[in-house]
Amino acid sequence: MTTDAAPEVVWAVEAAANPSVLRLHTMLELTKRTIVGCPPGDPGAPLDLLLVIPGVRSIELHRYLARLNLYPGADIGGVWSAVVGSLMPSWGRPVDPPEIEHDPRSFPVDDNGPRRVAESLEMAADDPILIAMFRVHGVAEAILEHGRVGIRPGRLFDWEHLNPRVLAALAEPSTS
């Protein structure tokens, strides 16, 4: 028997330090751009459903993060419940986010140019090391400086799976 159901997505919702922000973490790449503001941008399905939730003012899409900006005084608990209810039919149940973010890791590279920071393939521009890092599923930020590249993973990614992929990307001829 076959099914047309989409596979479940690993995702989580968490409150931010700012009481008018909810963070939606996912292992799906939400954009290749640096930040996409919605509106005016379109977050695509099913995130477009979140823009009609009372209390949601806008969404900022990052690679593996959607930042939900709420109106002042919005009922954060009500918005949280509505977000979960809106995404569960498409993405399945959310997971609990890790209690702490994974620390960034630094890897040696053959590069002594100026400090460069990228949060997307768009920001990587034509830098071969940064481009290679953003071809790795799970990299949310890369910082090149002093012969090292620092990598920050998306919140739901762990180093056990990400580390070998980063090392493999750094071993490619275009980054050596």
Side-chain angles (χ1 to χ4, degrees):
M1 181 168 126
T2 61
T3 178
D4 291 336
E8 288 193 2
V9 173
V10 178
W11 65 287
V13 180
E14 73 172 347
N18 180 339
S20 61
V21 171
L22 281 178
R23 290 185 181 148
L24 175 83
H25 301 279
T26 179
M27 291 180 83
L28 288 178
E29 185 175 51
L30 301 176
T31 182
K32 290 189 185 313
R33 309 252 343 257
T34 303
I35 299 174
V36 177
C38 306
D42 176 7
L47 296 178
D48 57 346
L49 300 172
L50 307 184
L51 286 170
V52 299
I53 294 174
V56 175
R57 181 172 42 99
S58 64
I59 301 173
E60 294 171 5
L61 299 179
H62 300 254
R63 189 168 190 201
Y64 301 109
L65 167 72
R67 177 187 158 119
L68 282 64
N69 300 303
L70 310 181
Y71 287 107
D75 172 15
I76 197 165
V79 171
W80 186 305
S81 294
V83 166
V84 171
S86 296
L87 295 178
M88 276 183 46
S90 297
W91 285 2
R93 292 198 167 281
V95 300
D96 291 329
E99 289 195 27
I100 58 170
E101 289 190 55
H102 297 291
D103 288 331
R105 286 197 181 166
S106 182
F107 300 85
V109 293
D110 186 21
D111 180 274
N112 290 310
R115 182 176 198 264
R116 291 156 338 265
V117 177
E119 293 182 10
S120 66
L121 187 58
E122 179 182 61
M123 282 181 78
D126 60 354
D127 187 293
I129 295 172
L130 293 176
I131 290 169
M133 293 301 91
F134 282 96
R135 288 189 178 135
V136 176
H137 184 70
V139 171
E141 179 183 57
I143 302 172
L144 266 175
E145 63 182 336
H146 308 298
R148 303 198 70 71
V149 62
I151 300 297
R152 183 178 55 81
R155 184 71 186 262
L156 299 179
F157 293 87
D158 63 63
W159 278 113
E160 179 183 346
H161 295 96
L162 189 58
N163 201 72
R165 289 184 263 167
V166 169
L167 290 172
L170 289 172
E172 292 176 7
S174 62
T175 60
S176 308

